[in-house]
Amino acid sequence: EVQLVQSGAEVKKPGESLKISCKGSGYSFTSYWIGWVRQMPGKGLEWMGIIYPGDSDTRYSPSFQGQVTISADKSISTAYLQWSSLKASDTAMYYCARRIQVWPYYFDYWGQGTLVTVSS
Amino acid sequence: DIQMTQSPSSLSASVGDRVTITCRASQSISSYLNWYQQKPGKAPKVLIYAASSLQSGVPSRFSGSGSGTDFTLTISSLQPEDFATYYCQQSYSTPRYSFGQGTKLEIK
């Protein structure tokens, strides 16, 4: 069974760093792109970026380039999303999702989400 | 970047109604259009991919159509479990998979 299991909720202060994770199982982790999606409270879905764990090829939405870092450790089938200095506006639910290998490139499995709260 | 615009933003309907949600792309995306359903507190779930293909396990009352810039998601007979928020997403401009702003479907 394909699963993406994300790390637990986080409460942080502005300026702190954070790394959240997404562990894949039940499939070949290195063969599928993993994307990250932000959902701010009461708002819609925003595409952040995507990584191919096989070679760590990473692409970012222009809106998130330079704001976050996406990485992966294929030895433990885990993708990451990290911030070096959090802002209150980073408060949101973050989802990881697996992209199918071929056209039309939709996202077939999703993690359960990680809630990040940034507050002083 | 390709902008995706959904209409309406919200919709009230009754069980048994036929409902249509529209998604428009800012440029042609061929059939690279996918629809997701999200219920409160849950991750999105794919319903339709490639504009009109039904994801395995999704009820046949859901259907999609369109190509180019204009797309629709139709629910033929609303069921209580269909009240949720629906998002379109383009996968033409990889890897910038932009979403529409969402359509919240509420019970009338």
PDB file of all heavy atoms in Angstrom, chain A residues 57-92:
ATOM      1  N   ASP A  57      16.814  16.381  -8.173  1.00  0.00           N
ATOM      2  CA  ASP A  57      16.419  17.487  -9.035  1.00  0.00           C
ATOM      3  C   ASP A  57      15.228  18.184  -8.385  1.00  0.00           C
ATOM      4  O   ASP A  57      14.244  17.530  -8.033  1.00  0.00           O
ATOM      5  CB  ASP A  57      16.045  16.953 -10.411  1.00  0.00           C
ATOM      6  CG  ASP A  57      15.743  18.054 -11.401  1.00  0.00           C
ATOM      7  OD1 ASP A  57      15.919  19.251 -11.090  1.00  0.00           O
ATOM      8  OD2 ASP A  57      15.331  17.709 -12.531  1.00  0.00           O
ATOM      9  N   THR A  58      15.337  19.500  -8.197  1.00  0.00           N
ATOM     10  CA  THR A  58      14.320  20.242  -7.444  1.00  0.00           C
ATOM     11  C   THR A  58      13.888  21.470  -8.245  1.00  0.00           C
ATOM     12  O   THR A  58      14.720  22.159  -8.819  1.00  0.00           O
ATOM     13  CB  THR A  58      14.870  20.685  -6.075  1.00  0.00           C
ATOM     14  OG1 THR A  58      15.403  19.551  -5.394  1.00  0.00           O
ATOM     15  CG2 THR A  58      13.777  21.306  -5.210  1.00  0.00           C
ATOM     16  N   ARG A  59      12.591  21.729  -8.255  1.00  0.00           N
ATOM     17  CA  ARG A  59      12.043  22.900  -8.935  1.00  0.00           C
ATOM     18  C   ARG A  59      11.113  23.623  -7.962  1.00  0.00           C
ATOM     19  O   ARG A  59      10.400  22.970  -7.199  1.00  0.00           O
ATOM     20  CB  ARG A  59      11.232  22.484 -10.173  1.00  0.00           C
ATOM     21  CG  ARG A  59      11.888  21.387 -11.006  1.00  0.00           C
ATOM     22  CD  ARG A  59      13.077  21.872 -11.803  1.00  0.00           C
ATOM     23  NE  ARG A  59      13.722  20.771 -12.516  1.00  0.00           N
ATOM     24  CZ  ARG A  59      13.335  20.299 -13.694  1.00  0.00           C
ATOM     25  NH1 ARG A  59      12.288  20.862 -14.308  1.00  0.00           N
ATOM     26  NH2 ARG A  59      13.968  19.301 -14.273  1.00  0.00           N
ATOM     27  N   TYR A  60      11.105  24.933  -8.027  1.00  0.00           N
ATOM     28  CA  TYR A  60      10.290  25.737  -7.118  1.00  0.00           C
ATOM     29  C   TYR A  60       9.307  26.610  -7.881  1.00  0.00           C
ATOM     30  O   TYR A  60       9.599  27.101  -8.973  1.00  0.00           O
ATOM     31  CB  TYR A  60      11.185  26.656  -6.266  1.00  0.00           C
ATOM     32  CG  TYR A  60      12.099  25.939  -5.307  1.00  0.00           C
ATOM     33  CD1 TYR A  60      13.384  25.589  -5.677  1.00  0.00           C
ATOM     34  CD2 TYR A  60      11.665  25.617  -4.027  1.00  0.00           C
ATOM     35  CE1 TYR A  60      14.231  24.939  -4.805  1.00  0.00           C
ATOM     36  CE2 TYR A  60      12.501  24.967  -3.127  1.00  0.00           C
ATOM     37  CZ  TYR A  60      13.782  24.625  -3.529  1.00  0.00           C
ATOM     38  OH  TYR A  60      14.625  23.971  -2.652  1.00  0.00           O
ATOM     39  N   SER A  61       8.163  26.834  -7.262  1.00  0.00           N
ATOM     40  CA  SER A  61       7.281  27.895  -7.737  1.00  0.00           C
ATOM     41  C   SER A  61       8.000  29.216  -7.502  1.00  0.00           C
ATOM     42  O   SER A  61       8.643  29.397  -6.459  1.00  0.00           O
ATOM     43  CB  SER A  61       5.972  27.862  -6.947  1.00  0.00           C
ATOM     44  OG  SER A  61       5.283  29.075  -7.105  1.00  0.00           O
ATOM     45  N   PRO A  62       7.871  30.181  -8.425  1.00  0.00           N
ATOM     46  CA  PRO A  62       8.526  31.480  -8.205  1.00  0.00           C
ATOM     47  C   PRO A  62       8.132  32.126  -6.880  1.00  0.00           C
ATOM     48  O   PRO A  62       8.936  32.828  -6.271  1.00  0.00           O
ATOM     49  CB  PRO A  62       8.028  32.314  -9.395  1.00  0.00           C
ATOM     50  CG  PRO A  62       7.721  31.329 -10.454  1.00  0.00           C
ATOM     51  CD  PRO A  62       7.202  30.111  -9.735  1.00  0.00           C
ATOM     52  N   SER A  63       6.906  31.866  -6.430  1.00  0.00           N
ATOM     53  CA  SER A  63       6.430  32.477  -5.190  1.00  0.00           C
ATOM     54  C   SER A  63       7.173  31.967  -3.961  1.00  0.00           C
ATOM     55  O   SER A  63       7.190  32.632  -2.923  1.00  0.00           O
ATOM     56  CB  SER A  63       4.939  32.199  -5.007  1.00  0.00           C
ATOM     57  OG  SER A  63       4.203  32.726  -6.081  1.00  0.00           O
ATOM     58  N   PHE A  64       7.780  30.797  -4.077  1.00  0.00           N
ATOM     59  CA  PHE A  64       8.431  30.168  -2.927  1.00  0.00           C
ATOM     60  C   PHE A  64       9.943  30.031  -3.100  1.00  0.00           C
ATOM     61  O   PHE A  64      10.634  29.673  -2.129  1.00  0.00           O
ATOM     62  CB  PHE A  64       7.805  28.802  -2.654  1.00  0.00           C
ATOM     63  CG  PHE A  64       6.395  28.892  -2.155  1.00  0.00           C
ATOM     64  CD1 PHE A  64       5.325  28.834  -3.046  1.00  0.00           C
ATOM     65  CD2 PHE A  64       6.123  29.056  -0.810  1.00  0.00           C
ATOM     66  CE1 PHE A  64       4.019  28.942  -2.597  1.00  0.00           C
ATOM     67  CE2 PHE A  64       4.830  29.159  -0.344  1.00  0.00           C
ATOM     68  CZ  PHE A  64       3.768  29.104  -1.235  1.00  0.00           C
ATOM     69  N   GLN A  65      10.442  30.340  -4.281  1.00  0.00           N
ATOM     70  CA  GLN A  65      11.892  30.282  -4.509  1.00  0.00           C
ATOM     71  C   GLN A  65      12.604  31.198  -3.524  1.00  0.00           C
ATOM     72  O   GLN A  65      12.248  32.363  -3.364  1.00  0.00           O
ATOM     73  CB  GLN A  65      12.198  30.742  -5.946  1.00  0.00           C
ATOM     74  CG  GLN A  65      13.659  30.740  -6.302  1.00  0.00           C
ATOM     75  CD  GLN A  65      14.157  29.381  -6.759  1.00  0.00           C
ATOM     76  OE1 GLN A  65      13.517  28.734  -7.578  1.00  0.00           O
ATOM     77  NE2 GLN A  65      15.300  28.960  -6.247  1.00  0.00           N
ATOM     78  N   GLY A  66      13.608  30.654  -2.828  1.00  0.00           N
ATOM     79  CA  GLY A  66      14.344  31.450  -1.859  1.00  0.00           C
ATOM     80  C   GLY A  66      13.704  31.551  -0.487  1.00  0.00           C
ATOM     81  O   GLY A  66      14.331  32.023   0.464  1.00  0.00           O
ATOM     82  N   GLN A  67      12.448  31.117  -0.381  1.00  0.00           N
ATOM     83  CA  GLN A  67      11.743  31.186   0.903  1.00  0.00           C
ATOM     84  C   GLN A  67      11.823  29.863   1.663  1.00  0.00           C
ATOM     85  O   GLN A  67      11.757  29.849   2.892  1.00  0.00           O
ATOM     86  CB  GLN A  67      10.271  31.552   0.677  1.00  0.00           C
ATOM     87  CG  GLN A  67      10.051  32.794  -0.168  1.00  0.00           C
ATOM     88  CD  GLN A  67      10.784  33.998   0.392  1.00  0.00           C
ATOM     89  OE1 GLN A  67      10.646  34.335   1.572  1.00  0.00           O
ATOM     90  NE2 GLN A  67      11.585  34.651  -0.441  1.00  0.00           N
ATOM     91  N   VAL A  68      11.897  28.771   0.938  1.00  0.00           N
ATOM     92  CA  VAL A  68      11.978  27.439   1.518  1.00  0.00           C
ATOM     93  C   VAL A  68      13.006  26.607   0.759  1.00  0.00           C
ATOM     94  O   VAL A  68      13.421  27.001  -0.349  1.00  0.00           O
ATOM     95  CB  VAL A  68      10.613  26.715   1.462  1.00  0.00           C
ATOM     96  CG1 VAL A  68       9.570  27.445   2.297  1.00  0.00           C
ATOM     97  CG2 VAL A  68      10.135  26.552   0.025  1.00  0.00           C
ATOM     98  N   THR A  69      13.379  25.489   1.361  1.00  0.00           N
ATOM     99  CA  THR A  69      14.279  24.540   0.706  1.00  0.00           C
ATOM    100  C   THR A  69      13.648  23.160   0.740  1.00  0.00           C
ATOM    101  O   THR A  69      13.193  22.709   1.793  1.00  0.00           O
ATOM    102  CB  THR A  69      15.642  24.495   1.403  1.00  0.00           C
ATOM    103  OG1 THR A  69      16.227  25.789   1.386  1.00  0.00           O
ATOM    104  CG2 THR A  69      16.580  23.502   0.703  1.00  0.00           C
ATOM    105  N   ILE A  70      13.591  22.542  -0.424  1.00  0.00           N
ATOM    106  CA  ILE A  70      13.077  21.184  -0.547  1.00  0.00           C
ATOM    107  C   ILE A  70      14.255  20.245  -0.760  1.00  0.00           C
ATOM    108  O   ILE A  70      15.160  20.550  -1.559  1.00  0.00           O
ATOM    109  CB  ILE A  70      12.081  21.085  -1.717  1.00  0.00           C
ATOM    110  CG1 ILE A  70      10.831  21.929  -1.428  1.00  0.00           C
ATOM    111  CG2 ILE A  70      11.710  19.644  -1.995  1.00  0.00           C
ATOM    112  CD1 ILE A  70       9.907  22.093  -2.616  1.00  0.00           C
ATOM    113  N   SER A  71      14.251  19.133  -0.043  1.00  0.00           N
ATOM    114  CA  SER A  71      15.340  18.169  -0.168  1.00  0.00           C
ATOM    115  C   SER A  71      14.788  16.765   0.019  1.00  0.00           C
ATOM    116  O   SER A  71      13.602  16.582   0.315  1.00  0.00           O
ATOM    117  CB  SER A  71      16.437  18.458   0.866  1.00  0.00           C
ATOM    118  OG  SER A  71      15.913  18.359   2.182  1.00  0.00           O
ATOM    119  N   ALA A  72      15.647  15.771  -0.162  1.00  0.00           N
ATOM    120  CA  ALA A  72      15.221  14.384   0.024  1.00  0.00           C
ATOM    121  C   ALA A  72      16.412  13.543   0.429  1.00  0.00           C
ATOM    122  O   ALA A  72      17.560  13.832   0.050  1.00  0.00           O
ATOM    123  CB  ALA A  72      14.592  13.836  -1.253  1.00  0.00           C
ATOM    124  N   ASP A  73      16.144  12.502   1.201  1.00  0.00           N
ATOM    125  CA  ASP A  73      17.146  11.504   1.565  1.00  0.00           C
ATOM    126  C   ASP A  73      16.604  10.166   1.083  1.00  0.00           C
ATOM    127  O   ASP A  73      15.720   9.576   1.723  1.00  0.00           O
ATOM    128  CB  ASP A  73      17.372  11.502   3.071  1.00  0.00           C
ATOM    129  CG  ASP A  73      18.472  10.548   3.502  1.00  0.00           C
ATOM    130  OD1 ASP A  73      18.820   9.634   2.718  1.00  0.00           O
ATOM    131  OD2 ASP A  73      18.982  10.701   4.616  1.00  0.00           O
ATOM    132  N   LYS A  74      17.115   9.727  -0.066  1.00  0.00           N
ATOM    133  CA  LYS A  74      16.551   8.515  -0.649  1.00  0.00           C
ATOM    134  C   LYS A  74      16.878   7.270   0.161  1.00  0.00           C
ATOM    135  O   LYS A  74      16.153   6.274   0.069  1.00  0.00           O
ATOM    136  CB  LYS A  74      16.999   8.345  -2.103  1.00  0.00           C
ATOM    137  CG  LYS A  74      18.483   8.226  -2.316  1.00  0.00           C
ATOM    138  CD  LYS A  74      18.776   8.197  -3.809  1.00  0.00           C
ATOM    139  CE  LYS A  74      20.269   8.107  -4.087  1.00  0.00           C
ATOM    140  NZ  LYS A  74      20.574   8.140  -5.541  1.00  0.00           N
ATOM    141  N   SER A  75      17.915   7.339   0.992  1.00  0.00           N
ATOM    142  CA  SER A  75      18.273   6.167   1.792  1.00  0.00           C
ATOM    143  C   SER A  75      17.215   5.836   2.836  1.00  0.00           C
ATOM    144  O   SER A  75      17.118   4.689   3.290  1.00  0.00           O
ATOM    145  CB  SER A  75      19.625   6.386   2.473  1.00  0.00           C
ATOM    146  OG  SER A  75      19.529   7.362   3.490  1.00  0.00           O
ATOM    147  N   ILE A  76      16.409   6.844   3.196  1.00  0.00           N
ATOM    148  CA  ILE A  76      15.338   6.613   4.167  1.00  0.00           C
ATOM    149  C   ILE A  76      13.978   7.005   3.596  1.00  0.00           C
ATOM    150  O   ILE A  76      13.012   7.212   4.318  1.00  0.00           O
ATOM    151  CB  ILE A  76      15.598   7.344   5.506  1.00  0.00           C
ATOM    152  CG1 ILE A  76      15.823   8.837   5.293  1.00  0.00           C
ATOM    153  CG2 ILE A  76      16.764   6.717   6.245  1.00  0.00           C
ATOM    154  CD1 ILE A  76      15.868   9.620   6.600  1.00  0.00           C
ATOM    155  N   SER A  77      13.922   7.140   2.257  1.00  0.00           N
ATOM    156  CA  SER A  77      12.647   7.388   1.550  1.00  0.00           C
ATOM    157  C   SER A  77      11.884   8.578   2.130  1.00  0.00           C
ATOM    158  O   SER A  77      10.668   8.509   2.342  1.00  0.00           O
ATOM    159  CB  SER A  77      11.771   6.129   1.589  1.00  0.00           C
ATOM    160  OG  SER A  77      12.409   5.043   0.982  1.00  0.00           O
ATOM    161  N   THR A  78      12.587   9.650   2.356  1.00  0.00           N
ATOM    162  CA  THR A  78      11.974  10.804   3.015  1.00  0.00           C
ATOM    163  C   THR A  78      12.300  12.107   2.272  1.00  0.00           C
ATOM    164  O   THR A  78      13.449  12.344   1.905  1.00  0.00           O
ATOM    165  CB  THR A  78      12.445  10.910   4.477  1.00  0.00           C
ATOM    166  OG1 THR A  78      12.085   9.700   5.171  1.00  0.00           O
ATOM    167  CG2 THR A  78      11.817  12.091   5.189  1.00  0.00           C
ATOM    168  N   ALA A  79      11.261  12.902   2.067  1.00  0.00           N
ATOM    169  CA  ALA A  79      11.425  14.242   1.511  1.00  0.00           C
ATOM    170  C   ALA A  79      11.228  15.265   2.622  1.00  0.00           C
ATOM    171  O   ALA A  79      10.547  14.987   3.623  1.00  0.00           O
ATOM    172  CB  ALA A  79      10.415  14.478   0.391  1.00  0.00           C
ATOM    173  N   TYR A  80      11.825  16.436   2.427  1.00  0.00           N
ATOM    174  CA  TYR A  80      11.797  17.461   3.458  1.00  0.00           C
ATOM    175  C   TYR A  80      11.421  18.818   2.870  1.00  0.00           C
ATOM    176  O   TYR A  80      11.681  19.114   1.714  1.00  0.00           O
ATOM    177  CB  TYR A  80      13.173  17.600   4.116  1.00  0.00           C
ATOM    178  CG  TYR A  80      13.691  16.345   4.771  1.00  0.00           C
ATOM    179  CD1 TYR A  80      14.579  15.501   4.102  1.00  0.00           C
ATOM    180  CD2 TYR A  80      13.290  15.989   6.060  1.00  0.00           C
ATOM    181  CE1 TYR A  80      15.055  14.346   4.689  1.00  0.00           C
ATOM    182  CE2 TYR A  80      13.764  14.833   6.662  1.00  0.00           C
ATOM    183  CZ  TYR A  80      14.644  14.022   5.965  1.00  0.00           C
ATOM    184  OH  TYR A  80      15.112  12.873   6.571  1.00  0.00           O
ATOM    185  N   LEU A  81      10.855  19.631   3.766  1.00  0.00           N
ATOM    186  CA  LEU A  81      10.583  21.033   3.477  1.00  0.00           C
ATOM    187  C   LEU A  81      11.128  21.813   4.660  1.00  0.00           C
ATOM    188  O   LEU A  81      10.782  21.503   5.814  1.00  0.00           O
ATOM    189  CB  LEU A  81       9.078  21.255   3.326  1.00  0.00           C
ATOM    190  CG  LEU A  81       8.596  22.673   3.079  1.00  0.00           C
ATOM    191  CD1 LEU A  81       9.089  23.183   1.727  1.00  0.00           C
ATOM    192  CD2 LEU A  81       7.069  22.727   3.131  1.00  0.00           C
ATOM    193  N   GLN A  82      11.997  22.788   4.385  1.00  0.00           N
ATOM    194  CA  GLN A  82      12.600  23.492   5.503  1.00  0.00           C
ATOM    195  C   GLN A  82      12.622  25.001   5.313  1.00  0.00           C
ATOM    196  O   GLN A  82      12.598  25.511   4.206  1.00  0.00           O
ATOM    197  CB  GLN A  82      13.996  22.953   5.783  1.00  0.00           C
ATOM    198  CG  GLN A  82      15.049  23.275   4.751  1.00  0.00           C
ATOM    199  CD  GLN A  82      16.403  22.686   5.156  1.00  0.00           C
ATOM    200  OE1 GLN A  82      16.730  21.544   4.838  1.00  0.00           O
ATOM    201  NE2 GLN A  82      17.188  23.479   5.848  1.00  0.00           N
ATOM    202  N   TRP A  83      12.646  25.660   6.463  1.00  0.00           N
ATOM    203  CA  TRP A  83      12.730  27.115   6.548  1.00  0.00           C
ATOM    204  C   TRP A  83      13.936  27.477   7.416  1.00  0.00           C
ATOM    205  O   TRP A  83      14.151  26.840   8.452  1.00  0.00           O
ATOM    206  CB  TRP A  83      11.488  27.703   7.220  1.00  0.00           C
ATOM    207  CG  TRP A  83      10.194  27.532   6.505  1.00  0.00           C
ATOM    208  CD1 TRP A  83       9.545  28.457   5.742  1.00  0.00           C
ATOM    209  CD2 TRP A  83       9.349  26.365   6.528  1.00  0.00           C
ATOM    210  NE1 TRP A  83       8.350  27.944   5.280  1.00  0.00           N
ATOM    211  CE2 TRP A  83       8.209  26.664   5.754  1.00  0.00           C
ATOM    212  CE3 TRP A  83       9.442  25.112   7.120  1.00  0.00           C
ATOM    213  CZ2 TRP A  83       7.169  25.758   5.552  1.00  0.00           C
ATOM    214  CZ3 TRP A  83       8.422  24.200   6.922  1.00  0.00           C
ATOM    215  CH2 TRP A  83       7.291  24.524   6.149  1.00  0.00           C
ATOM    216  N   SER A  84      14.644  28.522   7.040  1.00  0.00           N
ATOM    217  CA  SER A  84      15.768  28.956   7.859  1.00  0.00           C
ATOM    218  C   SER A  84      15.352  30.022   8.869  1.00  0.00           C
ATOM    219  O   SER A  84      15.977  30.160   9.928  1.00  0.00           O
ATOM    220  CB  SER A  84      16.893  29.505   6.973  1.00  0.00           C
ATOM    221  OG  SER A  84      16.415  30.581   6.195  1.00  0.00           O
ATOM    222  N   SER A  85      14.303  30.767   8.556  1.00  0.00           N
ATOM    223  CA  SER A  85      13.842  31.818   9.452  1.00  0.00           C
ATOM    224  C   SER A  85      12.339  31.997   9.247  1.00  0.00           C
ATOM    225  O   SER A  85      11.911  32.650   8.300  1.00  0.00           O
ATOM    226  CB  SER A  85      14.587  33.134   9.181  1.00  0.00           C
ATOM    227  OG  SER A  85      14.142  34.150  10.056  1.00  0.00           O
ATOM    228  N   LEU A  86      11.563  31.417  10.120  1.00  0.00           N
ATOM    229  CA  LEU A  86      10.108  31.413   9.961  1.00  0.00           C
ATOM    230  C   LEU A  86       9.502  32.793  10.217  1.00  0.00           C
ATOM    231  O   LEU A  86      10.030  33.593  11.009  1.00  0.00           O
ATOM    232  CB  LEU A  86       9.488  30.409  10.928  1.00  0.00           C
ATOM    233  CG  LEU A  86       9.661  28.945  10.553  1.00  0.00           C
ATOM    234  CD1 LEU A  86       9.469  28.063  11.782  1.00  0.00           C
ATOM    235  CD2 LEU A  86       8.706  28.544   9.458  1.00  0.00           C
ATOM    236  N   LYS A  87       8.387  33.033   9.528  1.00  0.00           N
ATOM    237  CA  LYS A  87       7.598  34.248   9.731  1.00  0.00           C
ATOM    238  C   LYS A  87       6.196  33.828  10.143  1.00  0.00           C
ATOM    239  O   LYS A  87       5.756  32.701   9.874  1.00  0.00           O
ATOM    240  CB  LYS A  87       7.525  35.064   8.437  1.00  0.00           C
ATOM    241  CG  LYS A  87       8.852  35.412   7.818  1.00  0.00           C
ATOM    242  CD  LYS A  87       8.673  36.342   6.638  1.00  0.00           C
ATOM    243  CE  LYS A  87       8.784  35.733   5.291  1.00  0.00           C
ATOM    244  NZ  LYS A  87       9.946  34.958   4.989  1.00  0.00           N
ATOM    245  N   ALA A  88       5.468  34.744  10.748  1.00  0.00           N
ATOM    246  CA  ALA A  88       4.086  34.444  11.123  1.00  0.00           C
ATOM    247  C   ALA A  88       3.264  34.024   9.911  1.00  0.00           C
ATOM    248  O   ALA A  88       2.352  33.191  10.009  1.00  0.00           O
ATOM    249  CB  ALA A  88       3.462  35.655  11.805  1.00  0.00           C
ATOM    250  N   SER A  89       3.601  34.584   8.761  1.00  0.00           N
ATOM    251  CA  SER A  89       2.853  34.275   7.537  1.00  0.00           C
ATOM    252  C   SER A  89       3.128  32.862   7.004  1.00  0.00           C
ATOM    253  O   SER A  89       2.481  32.429   6.050  1.00  0.00           O
ATOM    254  CB  SER A  89       3.171  35.294   6.440  1.00  0.00           C
ATOM    255  OG  SER A  89       4.564  35.332   6.196  1.00  0.00           O
ATOM    256  N   ASP A  90       4.067  32.143   7.619  1.00  0.00           N
ATOM    257  CA  ASP A  90       4.310  30.736   7.245  1.00  0.00           C
ATOM    258  C   ASP A  90       3.340  29.797   7.945  1.00  0.00           C
ATOM    259  O   ASP A  90       3.349  28.586   7.684  1.00  0.00           O
ATOM    260  CB  ASP A  90       5.746  30.327   7.577  1.00  0.00           C
ATOM    261  CG  ASP A  90       6.771  31.054   6.719  1.00  0.00           C
ATOM    262  OD1 ASP A  90       6.533  31.179   5.497  1.00  0.00           O
ATOM    263  OD2 ASP A  90       7.796  31.505   7.272  1.00  0.00           O
ATOM    264  N   THR A  91       2.512  30.340   8.838  1.00  0.00           N
ATOM    265  CA  THR A  91       1.508  29.522   9.512  1.00  0.00           C
ATOM    266  C   THR A  91       0.549  28.936   8.483  1.00  0.00           C
ATOM    267  O   THR A  91      -0.117  29.671   7.744  1.00  0.00           O
ATOM    268  CB  THR A  91       0.729  30.371  10.538  1.00  0.00           C
ATOM    269  OG1 THR A  91       1.618  30.767  11.578  1.00  0.00           O
ATOM    270  CG2 THR A  91      -0.441  29.586  11.118  1.00  0.00           C
ATOM    271  N   ALA A  92       0.496  27.622   8.426  1.00  0.00           N
ATOM    272  CA  ALA A  92      -0.296  26.945   7.397  1.00  0.00           C
ATOM    273  C   ALA A  92      -0.241  25.435   7.612  1.00  0.00           C
ATOM    274  O   ALA A  92       0.551  24.932   8.413  1.00  0.00           O
ATOM    275  CB  ALA A  92       0.253  27.264   6.000  1.00  0.00           C
TER     276      ALA A  92
END
